[in-house]
Amino acid sequence: MQKVPASIFNDVIGPVMRGPSSSHVAGAARIGAIVKDALGEKPVKISVDFDVNGSLAASHDGHGTDMGFICGILGKPITDADVHHYARLAEEAGVEVLFNVLDYGAEHPNNYRMELIGVSGRRQLWEGVSVGGGMIEMQRYNGFSLAIAGDYYEVLAEAGASARAMMDEAIAALAVSPDQIDISEKDGKILYDLKYAAAPDRSCLREKLGAAGAEEPLFIAPVLPVLSYGGCSVPFTKAAQMLKQNDAALRMWELAASYEAARGNISTETVLAKMEEIVGIMEGALNNGLKGTSFEDRILGPQAFLIDKAKDSGSLIPCDLLNCAIKSVTAIMETKSSMGVIVAAPTAGSCGCLPGTLLGVGIALGKTREEITKAMLAAGLIGIFIANSATFAAEVGGCQVECGAGSGMAAAGLVELMGGNAAQCVDAASMALQNITGLACDPVANRVEVPCLGKNVMGASNAIASANMALAGYDKVIPLDETIAAMYQIGLQLPLDLRCTFGGLGKTPTARRIYKEFKAKETH
């Protein structure tokens, strides 16, 4: 089962969504969409199990897992304005979804074990994981091992093991060959997973595979914006490789555009246009937050306006650029907390740090949309190095791989914004990441607000300082690739309580009181 390199628009900057957490909402929605597609008919009853020792057991309701999964099952985009009414929407659609917390020894903290029953009585068993930033991997289907990330058109064909030669012959004779073929065996049966970069001819596949002895194949559409393809390759996967190959002294944004063009088999112009579109959505989230937001189910009310109010009264420490970044980060986080549309960059929990920093500083310095777009691309390439060598899931590595990663990405983006070279971008990212190793994820009251806002703001100030240090020529000492490896190792050593459950600040008396108040509201 071949693993493809990370994509800026799949793994790093995106998805575009509503809700508190990309791992929980977007990841769950993608898992729901895949299993619904595979069922091939209307589901009427679904049972979803979370392991008692994983992160979802405690956080699936407050972090939006239930909402995301049901929206995926219903085929509802997670950018729709009424996604938070998911329970009512499921009831109206006649779909029963049960969420259970059981002890079944899941290996990953974001594991989903699912049973689906369709309107005809068809039954399927699935197991998958949300791996961070909205990315997922479906790992088991009816006991077969597989690997579906949502970046291909998938065709699952089951047959008796004795039909393998006929199946191989039928697949080899197809007019359009799969880009990748994965095969799994169990109990005298065999499962073929045919992966296509473009939508295959379903009627042809039914005919050819059926004649070879296969059962009715399952067809699954991709859920990611950038698809994979046969022979998918990228020019580099680590920072050191990139710098060594950069004989032409290309800017960081150019290297990023080149990487993503190769990864997605698209043009660099398409990459730039896509990133400009995303920057526009980020600006919308910023402006929405500055106007003031409201939403009942939240801890923090609107606060972004307080920066300008305090500045006008002369009560702030004079630091206009940093204060503009603080205001921008806060505004985007408030849009997230009010169920507005945001871009997970690299996650929803850290959605304020990178865009808030680059937009806030860019606005303060009078930078153009094009300059900010190129800075965002440079930041995205740092995220690629993190995605390829570590994770964006706080459930695995703590907040250092969410707000911390966002800070490292923002530092590189700021260097690009100021005209720095690729090496300086990489050094700024390394210094920023070195400053946040060990950062815990300890949300209060099962809401992605406190201390998340402060950590996003901290990430912004750290990015500004690190960018200036790199531009001034400070010695980063530890190369970026080594820093990322160390950060990941530290994250794996953090106790489970400090990886997006209820440890740290989440266990304080005040946090417990706030949590009880929210639960009391839910019962009335």
Side-chain angles (χ1 to χ4, degrees):
M1 298 178 183
Q2 177 185 352
K3 180 176 173 59
V4 296
S7 154
I8 291 176
F9 297 125
N10 285 352
D11 301 76
V12 182
I13 298 184
V16 178
M17 57 172 286
R18 296 178 191 263
S21 167
S22 47
S23 290
H24 293 251
V25 179
R30 286 168 169 171
I31 288 173
I34 285 175
V35 297
K36 172 185 176 290
D37 223 9
L39 189 63
E41 62 183 40
K42 178 186 174 180
V44 294
K45 186 173 183 179
I46 305 164
S47 180
V48 185
D49 299 336
F50 303 128
D51 192 88
V52 68
N53 295 308
S55 68
L56 294 173
S59 61
H60 68 92
D61 53 348
H63 286 194
T65 304
D66 302 4
M67 176 179 74
F69 183 80
I70 289 176
C71 286
I73 287 292
L74 299 179
K76 188 174 187 61
I78 54 173
T79 52
D80 283 5
D82 60 345
V83 291
H84 57 290
H85 296 304
Y86 61 93
R88 173 176 59 79
L89 294 171
E91 183 178 356
E92 291 173 353
V95 180
E96 181 183 4
V97 184
L98 304 174
F99 296 99
N100 315 298
V101 175
L102 304 172
D103 188 352
Y104 59 93
E107 295 182 359
H108 194 282
N110 285 347
N111 180 275
Y112 297 65
R113 192 175 68 173
M114 297 154 283
E115 179 185 47
L116 287 84
I117 299 175
V119 66
S120 72
R122 180 180 299 167
R123 176 176 174 268
Q124 291 182 353
L125 301 175
W126 283 91
E127 194 163 339
V129 296
S130 173
V131 297
M135 299 296 285
I136 57 101
E137 183 179 270
M138 307 306 296
Q139 298 180 330
R140 300 189 75 80
Y141 161 70
N142 283 355
F144 289 101
S145 297
L146 43 66
I148 296 176
D151 55 345
Y152 280 110
Y153 291 87
E154 313 273 348
V155 181
L156 302 184
E158 185 176 342
S162 60
R164 179 161 187 165
M166 293 178 62
M167 288 287 289
D168 290 344
E169 184 178 339
I171 293 168
L174 291 171
V176 179
S177 299
D179 289 72
Q180 183 177 326
I181 303 171
D182 292 339
I183 302 173
S184 176
E185 292 188 58
K186 81 167 187 70
D187 301 334
K189 290 192 173 184
I190 191 165
L191 181 73
Y192 282 76
D193 179 3
L194 311 182
K195 299 176 182 287
Y196 289 88
D201 185 328
R202 294 191 175 196
S203 59
C204 175
L205 283 165
R206 285 192 180 98
E207 178 187 349
K208 300 295 184 184
L209 298 177
E215 298 177 9
E216 174 70 13
L218 310 181
F219 296 94
I220 303 172
V223 295
L224 296 180
V226 175
L227 300 189
S228 298
Y229 59 95
C232 177
S233 64
V234 292
F236 45 78
T237 58
K238 293 183 177 292
Q241 291 176 319
M242 179 197 73
L243 293 174
K244 185 177 181 180
Q245 294 174 17
N246 193 22
D247 296 333
L250 297 176
R251 295 282 292 274
M252 190 73 166
W253 77 265
E254 294 176 299
L255 293 163
S258 174
Y259 175 98
E260 190 67 3
R263 170 59 182 82
N265 197 25
I266 54 180
S267 68
T268 55
E269 290 79 12
T270 299
V271 174
L272 270 169
K274 177 65 175 175
M275 186 58 80
E276 185 173 2
E277 178 187 350
I278 287 175
V279 169
I281 297 170
M282 292 171 169
E283 288 176 341
L286 169 59
N287 293 330
N288 183 55
L290 292 177
K291 290 175 185 175
T293 60
S294 61
F295 193 73
E296 184 177 356
D297 188 19
R298 63 195 282 190
I299 300 172
L300 297 171
Q303 300 181 115
F305 73 95
L306 294 174
I307 292 293
D308 284 343
K309 183 179 179 181
K311 177 184 175 183
D312 292 343
S313 69
S315 57
L316 289 187
I317 298 170
C319 189
D320 287 351
L321 188 143
L322 177 59
N323 288 330
C324 189
I326 294 171
K327 176 180 68 175
S328 300
V329 170
T330 305
I332 294 172
M333 291 294 287
E334 289 175 1
T335 294
K336 173 196 66 67
S337 295
S338 62
M339 290 297 293
V341 175
I342 54 95
V343 179
T347 68
S350 61
C351 71
C353 179
L354 171 59
T357 304
L358 294 190
L359 289 172
V361 172
I363 291 168
L365 297 179
K367 298 294 184 180
T368 65
R369 166 78 74 84
E370 181 182 1
E371 289 174 309
I372 294 172
T373 296
K374 290 176 178 178
M376 201 68 71
L377 269 173
L381 191 51
I382 297 299
I384 285 293
F385 301 138
I386 297 172
N388 280 330
S389 298
T391 180
F392 290 127
E395 299 86 350
V396 176
C399 198
Q400 58 172 357
V401 300
E402 292 203 22
C403 291
S407 184
M409 292 163 61
L414 289 174
V415 170
E416 174 63 48
L417 197 64
M418 297 305 296
N421 60 41
Q424 290 173 318
C425 289
V426 169
D427 286 354
S430 184
M431 285 188 276
L433 292 177
Q434 290 174 41
N435 297 339
I436 52 78
T437 54
L439 189 65
C441 182
D442 52 350
V444 168
N446 207 4
R447 300 299 187 276
V448 188
E449 295 184 77
V450 182
C452 315
L453 171 60
K455 288 177 178 176
N456 275 261
V457 170
M458 178 276 296
S461 59
N462 179 44
I464 293 169
S466 298
N468 273 343
M469 290 162 69
L471 288 166
Y474 276 49
D475 184 358
K476 87 291 187 182
V477 182
I478 308 299
L480 177 61
D481 295 325
E482 294 181 27
T483 300
I484 292 170
M487 177 183 70
Y488 188 39
Q489 181 185 32
I490 291 167
L492 295 177
Q493 293 173 339
L494 286 174
L496 180 62
D497 270 6
L498 301 182
R499 290 186 275 127
C500 202
T501 50
F502 283 112
L505 291 173
K507 282 188 174 178
T508 60
T510 297
R512 293 179 186 274
R513 174 182 58 77
I514 295 171
Y515 180 71
K516 288 179 180 178
E517 289 172 356
F518 275 120
K519 296 302 289 185
K521 289 179 182 178
E522 292 174 6
T523 59
H524 289 87

